[in-house]
Amino acid sequence: MEGSEGRESCCSPVAVAPPNIALDAEPEKVDQPKRTVMSRPGNGTSGRGITLLANHLKVSVKCPDEIFYQYSVSITCDEKRDVHIKRIGRKIIHKLHETYSSEFAGKKFAYDGEKSLYTVGPLPRHRLEFTVVVEESSAKHASESPSDNGSNHHSSKKSKHSLHSKAFLVEINYATKIPLKSVSLALQGADPENVQDALRVLDIILRQQAANRGCLLVRQSFFHDDSRNFTDVGGGVMGCKGFHSSFRPTLDGLTLNMDVSTTMILSPGPVIDFLLANQNVKEPRYIDWARAKRMLKNLRVKAKHSNKEFKIIGLSERPCNQQLFSMKVKNGDGLDNGGETIEITVYEYFTKHRNIELSNSAYMPCLDVGKPKRPNYLPLELCYLVSLQRYTKVLSSVQRASLVEKSRQKPRERIKVITDAVRDYSYDDDPLLATCGVSIEKQLIQINGRVLEAPKLKVGNGEEVVPRNGRWNFNNKHFERPHTLIEEDPQNRRAGPVVRVEKMFEEIIARLPGPPDFLLCVLPERKNSEIYGPWKKKSLTDLGIVTQCISPLRINDQYLTNVLLKINAKLGGTNSLLAMEHTSHLPHIQDTPTMILGMDVSHGSPGQSDIPSIAAVVGSLYWPLISKYRAVVRSQSPKLEIIESLYKPLPNGDDEGIMRELLLDFYRTCNGHKPAQIIVFRDGVSESQFSQVLNLELDQMIKAYNHLGEGDIPKFTLIVAQKNHHTKLFQASAAENVPPGTVVDTNIVHPRNNDFFMCAHAGMIGTTRPAHYHVLLDEIGFSPDVLQNLIHSLSYVYQRSTTATSIVAPVRYAHLAAQQFAQFVKFEDLSETSSGYGSVKSIGSTSVTELPRLHMNVSDSMFFC
């Protein structure tokens, strides 16, 4: 390995005066026309050819001139507090079509489950209004469950189940036309206004099919209620396999992208079994009922004795054998004289009046399935969680590992699952699709790909390495003996994580002769250790000490090598360089000062709407190298994906934005060169956000550059890197994953935009997912071959690994930096601002806690490794 001294001899930072900045000058305004996504300049030709399959199915449209008519749907009810349109909207609309079919003139329609309805051709009138009566089971009578509002009755004759009728007012109003022809225009390379709307209607038609089959719908995926698709991951949670489907315009025509998808659901079955698994206890007496109440709220259960479905609103305050309610008992003479009201426990009601044996419920709370002011109680053992209820909380590390292990699918297995689903579910057997002449082929599309040659690497003292199958290795590397071993005082282990870290650093400082250059920290827990966040914050922001945390289950040569790679990178060393980087033979980069940026935003877990999002940008240093980076991290408004602090002017004329720091660091480490070219890799944005990245974020970068008093604006190449998509590639004539370096820029790519798929890495487990790169802007003027080979090479400069990465290293680094700073937010007590966490800034109506800045000793380090 090359240490920090070797790094300086190769490319030492020199003492260069920063560029002159006129602080009293107003930044030059940049009023540029709105940028649009660039068109494809051509296709690459380098590499050897390979025949592939993609999980796209060819779609034919025989009636492209048909027009979809969109209608807005409004559903209201007198009992407004009881309307859950997402849950019952489809039931209401289905009933409406049955009852008033003549009003629709025999037309079929697609309903999105919420506020829009689509037909092929117009309805007889632009405005329709209906009253729809839907019958639901009622829980207000003794035949269902006891209520403490005195409405329960009991007689010698068995009560019949009651159906409660509810009337809904449904208004349907014409909204707009969506021509199907926009799809064919898009396939010809045009950019019609309605193409996304037309594709969305086709997707909604498929979703309606799935809904009619009783599937759970999650965005563009659907999940059948089939236990063969369920995988237990522990904690009362299951992975449920289903399918993603979306119509995609491609260079070869319209396709249906079909893929295996997984969502998390609660384990169906007895509620008591779920609670035991969820809380990891063996007996009901150990259940934490306050926690159980939070977990069960709003879940749906089916009562064993009545086969009726209810929604849980809470738990009873007392156990089943103590929870009283009022019940009216009729006299035996049959006269309707009102009878008498008695107080009875829920347990007694079910065992004596309903003759239902209860073996476990006596000392447990009841489920409340009534209304807030009209509770209805059911003994817990009579209730079963219904299937396909989503679990949206963050999985534990154990659950996540179990899910990954159990949901792996080799390429051939995935192909079979997809093609079987297409055959069995007959997706094009739909009257609306038939009206449009839409038919879907049953086999995966065959496409052409290329395999790029792996770049050669330089390691150690200039030794050349040729990666094999996307991998290389370092052998016979060992730890030097540590200066001192310091163990935590056992008396401190019961304290909170912040206090434990403070005490540990007090001990470290007392035991060492001076500030350490590096600390290796052995954590007490392997994953999600409460110590990690406070430890990293203290070391990186307060003291400026590089640290490496470990918590190994077992130690072998590969583990030690990986740890050493991280440590060497953090201390300024270089584990490997591209051979062409070592000899300064990088096309378009070797002669022109070029800066490479990786950008990502990390958000809080689902349901954490008050946790700030973390924006991280890494920038390359020591041009013409492309392997060394530093990171700048900022907090911003929760769930905001567009980075808002690339340029951040202050009232005094200063700029404290992210780009200023990175530009000055580039200037300082590159012998006074300013970047004439900037290549930006942006992670985590969807196609609907491309325009914001291309305009809002890029404008900030230009303003930050102008603020430094510079005249000539650098040329920008802006590339979005996506991993969160559903296209998979398979070898047509082999069972293994596609080889590393596989690239596809034909057939299944966008018909107009400049995008391509790349599998730079070797997929060792499951099916390889390619990275999807979208080139939004290319002012530098790369040819397809040069750009694709540069991106491929950037997958080999990740200093933490001896394998090619699935996405370019700058993006991986930005993701790591954002994740590491997110730990500060996760574990720090935000009320303890005195502990140095950071100040609070206001953005609009939202207060965002600012992140602490890195200590100057580590600000230039690759701490995120």
Side-chain angles (χ1 to χ4, degrees):
M1 291 185 190
E2 186 178 7
S4 57
E5 292 182 2
R7 165 73 265 119
E8 290 171 3
S9 66
C10 172
C11 192
S12 312
V14 295
V16 180
N20 294 326
I21 302 170
L23 294 180
D24 55 347
E26 200 164 308
E28 182 181 340
K29 294 184 178 179
V30 183
D31 294 323
Q32 296 190 4
K34 186 176 180 181
R35 305 177 189 89
T36 56
V37 176
M38 71 174 291
S39 300
R40 184 184 309 280
N43 303 106
T45 58
S46 64
R48 64 177 176 86
I50 185 172
T51 302
L52 304 170
L53 299 175
N55 59 337
H56 288 237
L57 308 161
K58 197 161 187 61
V59 177
S60 301
V61 182
K62 296 180 181 177
C63 306
D65 294 325
E66 291 288 0
I67 297 176
F68 293 117
Y69 281 70
Q70 179 179 345
Y71 295 85
S72 61
V73 177
S74 170
I75 303 176
T76 56
C77 175
D78 289 340
E79 300 179 45
K80 288 186 175 65
R81 64 183 182 278
D82 196 38
V83 175
H84 301 282
I85 298 304
K86 281 191 176 182
R87 183 172 64 85
I88 62 174
R90 292 187 185 278
K91 183 177 181 180
I92 294 170
I93 295 299
H94 181 74
K95 180 73 172 180
L96 179 151
H97 195 259
E98 278 187 345
T99 308
Y100 301 98
S101 58
S102 61
E103 296 287 342
F104 288 86
K107 286 188 177 296
K108 302 294 183 180
F109 59 77
Y111 175 54
D112 69 356
E114 296 186 38
K115 297 181 178 181
S116 295
L117 181 147
Y118 304 88
T119 62
V120 178
L123 293 176
R125 298 198 305 274
H126 274 3
R127 185 177 186 278
L128 298 168
E129 188 174 295
F130 308 95
T131 298
V132 180
V133 178
V134 177
E135 293 182 334
E136 293 185 329
S137 60
S138 170
K140 297 182 181 178
H141 301 273
S143 59
E144 293 298 335
S145 61
S147 168
D148 66 2
N149 64 358
S151 63
N152 288 291
H153 303 268
H154 181 75
S155 65
S156 57
K157 295 183 179 179
K158 185 176 180 180
S159 302
K160 292 184 178 179
H161 293 308
S162 172
L163 290 176
H164 173 63
S165 297
K166 188 178 292 185
F168 296 89
L169 178 64
V170 181
E171 295 181 51
I172 299 176
N173 291 285
Y174 169 77
T176 189
K177 295 179 185 178
I178 302 174
L180 186 57
K181 193 173 185 62
S182 62
V183 174
S184 59
L185 292 174
L187 295 174
Q188 296 167 23
D191 190 18
E193 182 180 353
N194 301 108
V195 63
Q196 292 302 323
D197 294 329
L199 293 171
R200 187 174 67 251
V201 175
L202 293 175
D203 287 336
I204 288 170
I205 294 172
L206 289 192
R207 284 170 56 83
Q208 179 168 273
Q209 279 192 58
N212 292 340
R213 294 189 181 106
C215 292
L216 167 67
L217 304 182
V218 181
R219 293 181 293 278
Q220 288 185 263
S221 296
F222 50 91
F223 304 89
H224 294 267
D225 188 6
D226 186 340
S227 60
R228 293 173 296 180
N229 297 331
F230 300 165
T231 300
D232 189 1
V233 299
V237 180
M238 287 186 162
C240 178
K241 285 184 182 178
F243 297 95
H244 163 93
S245 68
S246 61
F247 287 93
R248 309 287 298 179
T250 73
L251 206 57
D252 275 1
L254 187 63
T255 66
L256 179 66
N257 179 204
M258 281 285 297
D259 193 21
V260 177
S261 183
T262 302
T263 194
M264 307 314 297
I265 62 171
L266 299 172
S267 300
V271 174
I272 187 62
D273 291 351
F274 166 75
L275 291 176
L276 293 174
N278 182 248
Q279 299 192 14
N280 194 26
V281 295
K282 294 184 178 180
E283 298 179 30
R285 58 181 172 149
Y286 297 120
I287 291 175
D288 179 341
W289 290 107
R291 180 181 166 191
K293 182 178 180 180
R294 293 191 300 270
M295 185 69 237
L296 293 174
K297 189 173 183 181
N298 295 324
L299 298 185
R300 290 175 290 117
V301 292
K302 185 168 283 190
K304 181 179 179 181
H305 63 292
S306 65
N307 205 35
K308 300 297 181 182
E309 192 173 306
F310 305 96
K311 186 180 78 171
I312 301 171
I313 68 167
L315 298 178
S316 62
E317 294 181 0
R318 297 180 180 86
C320 186
N321 65 354
Q322 296 179 25
Q323 182 64 53
L324 295 168
F325 71 98
S326 301
M327 183 176 74
K328 288 184 178 179
V329 180
K330 291 184 178 180
N331 295 328
D333 56 13
L335 299 177
D336 189 11
N337 55 8
E340 62 174 320
T341 299
I342 63 171
E343 292 288 308
I344 187 173
T345 67
V346 176
Y347 183 83
E348 185 181 1
Y349 168 76
F350 276 96
T351 56
K352 293 186 177 180
H353 294 273
R354 297 296 304 275
N355 294 321
I356 296 174
E357 182 180 350
L358 300 178
S359 56
N360 300 314
S361 298
Y363 301 102
M364 294 189 290
C366 304
L367 297 182
D368 185 353
V369 296
K371 309 293 181 187
K373 294 183 179 179
R374 293 183 296 166
N376 271 275
Y377 300 119
L378 289 173
L380 206 134
E381 70 183 90
L382 296 185
C383 299
Y384 291 74
L385 287 176
V386 301
S387 192
L388 298 182
Q389 298 192 74
R390 285 191 73 200
Y391 179 79
T392 56
K393 296 183 180 179
V394 179
L395 295 180
S396 69
S397 57
V398 174
Q399 289 173 323
R400 195 179 305 113
S402 177
L403 178 65
V404 171
E405 177 68 29
K406 295 176 180 179
S407 60
R408 293 171 179 166
Q409 284 183 317
K410 289 291 186 182
R412 289 296 161 190
E413 181 185 356
R414 186 175 287 257
I415 290 174
K416 185 178 187 306
V417 169
I418 293 171
T419 53
D420 286 353
V422 172
R423 182 194 65 232
D424 295 343
Y425 297 130
S426 303
Y427 291 106
D428 53 357
D429 184 19
D430 181 274
L432 272 180
L433 292 181
T435 302
C436 302
V438 172
S439 59
I440 303 169
E441 290 189 4
K442 303 298 187 288
Q443 297 299 319
L444 303 189
I445 189 172
Q446 182 171 300
I447 61 174
N448 299 315
R450 292 173 287 115
V451 181
L452 304 181
E453 184 178 348
K456 295 178 181 178
L457 303 176
K458 291 284 186 178
V459 301
N461 296 318
E463 178 188 353
E464 188 168 277
V465 171
V466 179
R468 303 287 183 188
N469 196 31
R471 310 173 80 85
W472 62 103
N473 63 67
F474 294 94
N475 294 321
N476 303 317
K477 308 297 182 184
H478 302 285
F479 276 117
E480 292 183 7
R481 185 173 180 82
H483 182 279
T484 307
L485 293 174
I486 302 173
E487 189 173 358
E488 181 182 25
D489 187 335
Q491 294 182 356
N492 296 332
R493 292 176 186 171
R494 293 186 178 181
V498 175
V499 173
R500 290 178 67 185
V501 168
E502 292 288 344
K503 294 290 186 182
M504 193 65 187
F505 271 103
E506 289 175 8
E507 180 72 13
I508 291 170
I509 293 170
R511 295 272 298 274
L512 296 178
D517 294 325
F518 172 78
L519 291 173
L520 181 67
C521 175
V522 182
L523 295 173
E525 295 93 22
R526 183 164 180 260
K527 292 285 187 179
N528 297 322
S529 172
E530 291 184 345
I531 298 295
Y532 182 82
W535 174 269
K536 284 292 186 179
K537 176 188 173 295
K538 184 71 176 179
S539 59
L540 293 176
T541 67
D542 295 356
L543 300 177
I545 302 172
V546 173
T547 70
Q548 175 65 47
C549 295
I550 62 172
S551 184
L553 289 178
R554 61 182 181 273
I555 295 177
N556 54 32
D557 285 345
Q558 186 60 53
Y559 179 83
L560 290 176
T561 296
N562 289 340
V563 171
L564 287 170
L565 290 173
K566 296 178 184 180
I567 294 172
N568 192 50
K570 289 179 179 181
L571 291 174
T574 303
N575 297 321
S576 61
L577 288 173
L578 298 169
M580 60 180 175
E581 180 181 14
H582 191 266
T583 56
S584 299
H585 286 159
L586 289 166
H588 282 273
I589 294 177
Q590 62 194 37
D591 298 323
T592 307
T594 303
M595 184 181 192
I596 299 178
L597 302 178
M599 304 167 60
D600 190 23
V601 179
S602 173
H603 304 290
S605 302
Q608 295 180 315
S609 58
D610 57 339
I611 300 296
S613 292
I614 309 296
V617 183
V618 302
S620 60
L621 306 173
Y622 303 104
W623 170 80
L625 299 187
I626 59 174
S627 296
K628 299 284 288 186
Y629 295 83
R630 71 150 295 193
V632 179
V633 186
R634 297 283 190 272
S635 58
Q636 61 183 38
S637 302
K639 307 302 181 185
L640 178 65
E641 181 58 46
I642 299 303
I643 300 176
E644 58 186 2
S645 53
L646 293 168
Y647 172 65
K648 190 177 179 183
L650 300 177
N652 66 358
D654 288 347
D655 168 25
E656 66 167 16
I658 292 173
M659 281 300 297
R660 174 188 169 85
E661 285 192 40
L662 295 174
L663 287 167
L664 291 177
D665 276 340
F666 183 91
Y667 180 84
R668 177 178 56 80
T669 63
C670 299
N671 299 324
H673 288 291
K674 306 162 189 174
Q677 300 177 156
I678 299 179
I679 304 171
V680 182
F681 289 96
R682 181 63 161 94
D683 186 30
V685 293
S686 62
E687 292 179 35
S688 63
Q689 296 168 314
F690 284 0
S691 179
Q692 291 174 285
V693 171
L694 193 52
N695 290 281
L696 300 180
E697 289 187 347
L698 184 52
D699 279 350
Q700 287 186 71
M701 297 183 221
I702 295 172
K703 289 176 181 178
Y705 191 86
N706 282 334
H707 190 276
L708 292 173
E710 302 305 319
D712 294 334
I713 298 173
K715 293 180 179 179
F716 282 88
T717 292
L718 181 53
I719 303 165
V720 170
Q722 291 179 335
K723 286 289 287 181
N724 189 24
H725 62 85
H726 286 274
T727 291
K728 300 291 191 303
L729 303 177
F730 311 91
Q731 293 198 61
S733 57
E736 298 81 16
N737 271 309
V738 297
T742 298
V743 62
V744 171
D745 63 358
T746 59
N747 303 108
I748 58 170
V749 294
H750 194 277
R752 173 186 175 275
N753 298 347
N754 187 12
D755 68 320
F756 58 91
F757 296 92
M758 181 179 289
C759 289
H761 64 302
M764 308 304 291
I765 299 172
T767 303
T768 303
R769 178 186 304 208
H772 192 185
Y773 292 101
H774 303 259
V775 185
L776 306 188
L777 176 71
D778 183 22
E779 295 174 338
I780 297 174
F782 287 103
S783 70
D785 278 332
V786 170
L787 184 59
Q788 289 169 14
N789 276 287
L790 173 62
I791 289 174
H792 186 221
S793 296
L794 281 169
S795 302
Y796 280 79
V797 301
Y798 187 57
Q799 298 296 304
R800 288 169 52 118
S801 175
T802 57
T803 63
T805 53
S806 61
I807 207 157
V808 289
V811 164
R812 292 288 295 268
Y813 288 145
H815 184 68
L816 284 174
Q819 274 192 326
Q820 193 158 124
F821 267 75
Q823 297 295 319
F824 298 173
V825 178
K826 181 177 180 180
F827 291 110
E828 184 75 22
D829 182 359
L830 300 186
S831 64
E832 295 180 0
T833 53
S834 61
S835 67
Y837 175 80
S839 59
V840 177
K841 63 180 178 180
S842 294
I843 301 175
S845 59
T846 306
S847 294
V848 178
T849 304
E850 290 197 74
L851 295 171
R853 301 296 169 88
L854 288 172
H855 192 281
M856 61 180 296
N857 291 354
V858 296
S859 60
D860 286 349
S861 74
M862 294 178 69
F863 69 89
F864 40 82
C865 280

